[in-house]
Amino acid sequence: MASFSNLIAKLFLLLQIITSLLSISSFKTVLSSLHDAAPNSTDLFREYIGAEFNGVKFSDVPINQHVDFHFILSFAIDYTTTSNSPSPTNGHFNIFWDTDNLTPTQVTSIKQNHNNVKVALSLGGDSVGDGYYAYFNPSSVDSWVSNAVSSLTNIIQRYNLDGIDIDYEHFDADPETFAECIGRLLTTLKTNGLISFASIAPFDDDQVQSHYQALWQKYGHVIDYVNFQFYAYDAGTTVSQFLGYYETQSEKYKGGKILASMATDGSGGLSPQNGFFRACTTLRAQGKLPGIFIWSADDSMANGFPYEKRSQSLMAATKSQLP
């Protein structure tokens, strides 16, 4: 009789455990559903800074306290620092931004003075030295990842950085190698607690898209934002064209937070004069505006940052309208 009672007790305990596990599973499913159903709109504004060495400082840029603000230091590149003949260093990253005006102390200061500010660094960019293209050129996946993790850990810790942006635009490696190198790098930096967010910065070019699409397909789960360079389209871009481009890239990077973008160097895309903010307002009304980024603070400084102010005001208004 005692043995039978023990059996009943064990079965009852087992039933409780199963019920608890099912409850946890159901709870996780509910959380996942809520996450998937959440609106794509946020209150994010991002700006690249430091690539043009014109003396711009973090403190020069107006910061709206009602948005999440990301400065993106431009750039860290795995090339030697020799200006007349730079060569790739297989993941050993060096700093190529304006270190006289954008120092570790200034990173700490801007974050202490504005609790809504985070600072990231961008890898790659278009060129290095005196106009040489900056190629993604690893010797092997394992060696590049090992070197990149080591050198970037030093930079991230020295500058007290929060995130990383991937902006390689030229490639001496196939898409699969690029995807594996960058994907493993981002995964390791996040796992090690060194960064809290990561972004990529593709644009509409066949070679560029093939590399970033390979990365997105395999490692999209570790990428938080897509800084799509809509300003790489023609300077005569209209509002309707911009909205079409946005829809196209949203399909390519399905499930990602695609930021609207403009450049203040007059390089191309939809300009404010031709309706950039009208297009952003349309996207906001459709629940498709997770944020805006601008290239770059260096180019904006001479005019007093009018588009930075307007972008942040729009995103702050977006935040106030969220449920």
Side-chain angles (χ1 to χ4, degrees):
M1 186 68 178
S3 176
F4 180 78
S5 298
N6 288 339
L7 178 60
I8 293 297
K10 288 179 181 179
L11 287 173
F12 182 74
L13 179 60
L14 179 61
L15 181 60
Q16 285 183 313
I17 292 172
I18 292 172
T19 302
S20 297
L21 289 174
L22 287 173
S23 297
I24 292 170
S25 177
S26 298
F27 181 65
K28 288 181 177 179
T29 300
V30 170
L31 283 180
S32 178
S33 298
L34 288 173
H35 179 269
D36 293 341
N40 201 28
S41 296
T42 64
D43 56 334
L44 181 62
F45 176 76
R46 319 185 86 200
E47 179 143 53
Y48 290 86
I49 188 170
E52 297 178 18
F53 291 81
N54 67 349
V56 66
K57 299 180 176 65
F58 298 123
S59 56
D60 293 327
V61 183
I63 297 170
N64 186 319
Q65 64 178 346
H66 300 296
V67 303
D68 291 327
F69 193 114
H70 293 178
F71 283 109
I72 305 176
L73 291 163
S74 311
F75 292 95
I77 313 174
D78 53 333
Y79 265 72
T80 59
T81 56
T82 306
S83 61
N84 60 352
S85 185
S87 58
T89 55
N90 189 40
H92 290 288
F93 281 87
N94 290 305
I95 293 172
F96 285 85
W97 64 75
D98 184 356
T99 54
D100 288 337
N101 294 289
L102 301 167
T103 66
T105 299
Q106 288 168 333
V107 170
T108 299
S109 177
I110 198 69
K111 289 168 68 173
Q112 287 177 342
N113 292 332
H114 300 275
N115 61 12
N116 60 323
V117 168
K118 291 182 170 59
V119 183
L121 80 163
S122 186
L123 307 186
D126 176 60
S127 60
V128 60
D130 295 332
Y132 295 85
Y133 284 147
Y135 281 90
F136 177 75
N137 186 15
S139 298
S140 70
V141 171
D142 288 343
S143 63
W144 189 94
V145 171
S146 177
N147 294 337
V149 168
S150 177
S151 60
L152 289 171
T153 294
N154 289 334
I155 295 172
I156 289 166
Q157 291 179 333
R158 187 181 358 142
Y159 276 80
N160 187 26
L161 301 177
D162 305 288
I164 196 166
D165 175 67
I166 307 299
D167 189 22
Y168 280 103
E169 302 183 3
H170 308 283
F171 306 91
D172 273 340
D174 59 68
E176 290 70 28
T177 300
F178 176 72
E180 197 61 29
C181 285
I182 300 300
R184 284 171 55 180
L185 170 65
L186 298 182
T187 300
T188 302
L189 293 178
K190 282 193 168 186
T191 300
N192 292 347
L194 289 162
I195 60 171
S196 58
F197 58 85
S199 59
I200 57 175
F203 57 95
D204 196 16
D205 169 89
D206 288 345
Q207 186 187 43
V208 169
Q209 290 279 53
S210 68
H211 284 73
Y212 282 94
Q213 280 289 290
L215 172 61
W216 182 258
Q217 294 304 319
K218 189 167 184 180
Y219 287 98
H221 60 282
V222 296
I223 298 167
D224 300 282
Y225 310 108
V226 179
N227 282 12
F228 198 85
Q229 299 182 47
F230 289 102
Y231 46 82
Y233 288 108
D234 291 341
T237 299
T238 65
V239 169
S240 61
Q241 287 175 325
F242 181 92
L243 294 174
Y245 297 150
Y246 188 93
E247 187 65 30
T248 297
Q249 301 310 326
S250 295
E251 285 298 316
K252 287 182 180 293
Y253 298 93
K254 199 169 186 64
K257 291 186 175 180
I258 318 297
L259 275 64
S261 63
M262 60 164 287
T264 54
D265 62 357
S267 58
L270 178 60
S271 68
Q273 294 81 6
N274 289 341
F276 175 77
F277 291 105
R278 185 151 45 92
C280 288
T281 300
T282 298
L283 292 173
R284 179 188 68 178
Q286 296 172 348
K288 298 179 181 178
L289 189 64
I292 296 172
F293 80 89
I294 289 180
W295 174 274
S296 65
D298 308 54
D299 296 302
S300 299
M301 184 168 64
N303 292 325
F305 305 99
Y307 303 126
E308 284 78 0
K309 295 173 185 175
R310 191 169 175 184
S311 295
Q312 291 177 77
S313 293
L314 189 149
M315 293 317 302
T318 301
K319 178 181 181 180
S320 69
Q321 293 180 15
L322 290 177

